[in-house]
């Protein structure tokens, strides 16, 4: 399998030479850093983590990353101080700041100091991945994607354009519905548990119950499956799975 080969329903981010994207995640909370690293590795990236500013600087000197996720608050120095020192040795690397939800001054200071983007805690994992992809594209660190669509059967999603079609007809989705469908499309024919869906689609510290997943799956079904052969299926006691629609009996008979 070549570096640019895509699995069904998945997109692959690679450097122009075909090697994996290199990312550095810096957060003093190991649970957050490890969660982000796991998600990015699932996307095919190679990821280093650091919990202090000094460790982050050592990682940058040792392996020049293509993109950095940087927490504003670190135990030994601020994220702004880390960024200033990173820029001295790696002036063009895109940096995505993680900030407290109400720290407007941190966001302004981060962007003024040379940060490229920011997300607030608590955050959506899918949003972080999407923002990092945007930074990589703008910096030229990744090869141009031949196709930004995720396709399963008659269902198609343009990730960059945030558009969805079922059998050629546009489907209007809310932001959360879009992220839920994106997770399904990246994992076609794979049964996803409610816990997995909560972890990937909702905020990392979301305190709600699993019935929020049931609610949004029902919303998606009304928009994706209404009046058509179903694609989203419940696997009782396990979770949900997205599969190409089965042809109607009349269609199957006509094709034989």
């Amino acid at each position: 399998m070549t570096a640019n080969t895509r699995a069904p329903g998945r997109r692959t981010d690679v450097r122009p030479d075909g090697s994996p994207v290199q990312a550095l995640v810096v957060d003093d909370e190991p649970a957050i850093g490890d969660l982000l690293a796991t998600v990015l590795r699932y996307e095919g990236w190679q990821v280093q983590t650091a919990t202090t500013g000094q460790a982050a600087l050592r990682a940058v000197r040792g392996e020049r990353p293509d993109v950095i996720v940087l927490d504003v608050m670190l135990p030994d120095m601020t994220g702004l101080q880390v960024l200033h020192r990173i820029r001295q040795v790696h002036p063009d690397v895109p940096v995505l700041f993680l900030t407290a939800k109400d720290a407007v001054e941190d966001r302004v200071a981060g962007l003024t100091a040379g940060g490229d983007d920011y997300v607030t805690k608590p955050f959506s994992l899918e949003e972080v991945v999407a923002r990092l992809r945007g930074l990589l594209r703008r910096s030229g660190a990744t090869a141009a994607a031949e196709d930004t669509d995720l396709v399963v059967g008659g269902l198609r999603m343009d990730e960059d354009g945030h558009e969805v079609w079922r059998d050629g007809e546009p489907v209007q989705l809310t932001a959360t519905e879009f992220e839920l469908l994106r997770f399904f499309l990246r994992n076609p024919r794979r049964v996803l548990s409610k816990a997995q869906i909560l972890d990937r689609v909702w905020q990392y510290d979301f305190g709600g119950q699993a019935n929020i997943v049931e609610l949004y799956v029902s919303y998606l079904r009304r928009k994706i499956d209404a009046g058509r052969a179903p694609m989203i299926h419940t696997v009782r006691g396990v979770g949900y799975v997205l599969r190409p629609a089965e042809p109607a009996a009349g269609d199957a008979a006509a094709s034989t």
Side-chain angles (χ1 to χ4, degrees):
M1 180 179 291
T2 65
N4 290 320
T5 299
R6 293 177 54 187
R10 295 288 307 279
R11 65 183 292 175
T12 302
D13 302 296
V14 295
R15 291 168 161 176
D17 64 2
S19 62
V21 168
Q22 304 284 331
L24 172 63
V25 176
V26 186
D27 197 296
D28 65 337
E29 297 183 56
I32 296 177
D34 291 344
L35 178 59
L36 283 169
T38 298
V39 170
L40 295 178
R41 289 183 183 118
Y42 180 79
E43 301 295 333
W45 300 14
Q46 291 186 356
V47 186
Q48 296 184 82
T49 60
T51 57
T52 67
Q54 290 294 342
L57 294 173
R58 288 195 296 270
V60 169
R61 289 192 292 266
E63 179 70 41
R64 290 171 65 93
D66 300 304
V67 69
I68 298 173
V69 180
L70 180 59
D71 192 10
V72 170
M73 300 302 296
L74 295 169
D76 54 344
M77 62 181 73
T78 69
L80 301 183
Q81 292 171 321
V82 175
L83 175 62
H84 176 71
R85 294 175 64 176
I86 286 174
R87 290 288 185 233
Q88 294 176 351
V89 297
H90 200 351
D92 300 321
V93 61
V95 174
L96 174 73
F97 271 118
L98 300 179
T99 72
K101 187 173 184 179
D102 57 351
V104 176
E105 65 277 9
D106 286 344
R107 301 199 295 270
V108 173
L111 295 176
T112 303
D116 299 280
D117 201 353
Y118 69 87
V119 294
T120 57
K121 295 180 178 180
F123 51 78
S124 159
L125 293 169
E126 291 288 352
E127 179 185 7
V128 172
V129 174
R131 287 178 180 267
L132 291 176
R133 280 202 173 107
L135 292 178
L136 287 167
R137 285 196 303 272
R138 291 195 291 274
S139 71
T142 51
E146 296 180 2
D147 186 2
T148 63
D149 288 358
L150 298 174
V151 181
V152 175
L155 190 58
R156 180 164 64 94
M157 170 184 284
D158 179 351
E159 289 190 282
D160 292 341
H162 272 242
E163 295 181 288
V164 175
W165 298 266
R166 171 76 192 266
D167 300 330
E169 297 182 8
V171 179
Q172 301 300 319
L173 301 177
T174 67
T176 301
E177 291 166 352
F178 186 90
E179 296 303 338
L180 176 57
L181 182 60
R182 190 201 318 245
F183 189 35
F184 278 128
L185 285 168
R186 287 184 178 175
N187 296 275
R189 300 180 178 86
R190 178 185 174 193
V191 179
L192 304 172
S193 70
K194 292 177 183 178
Q196 287 175 310
I197 294 171
L198 277 173
D199 285 343
R200 288 301 304 271
V201 178
W202 276 267
Q203 297 165 351
Y204 68 90
D205 64 349
F206 180 75
Q209 302 298 317
N211 59 10
I212 192 72
V213 176
E214 298 175 12
L215 181 63
Y216 273 87
V217 168
S218 71
Y219 291 160
L220 262 189
R221 281 175 164 153
R222 291 175 196 169
K223 296 182 177 183
I224 299 298
D225 289 343
R228 305 180 177 96
M231 295 185 66
I232 301 172
H233 303 270
T234 300
V235 180
R236 194 171 301 279
V238 182
Y240 302 95
V241 61
L242 177 74
R243 293 192 294 262
E246 296 290 338
D251 296 337
S255 65
T256 57

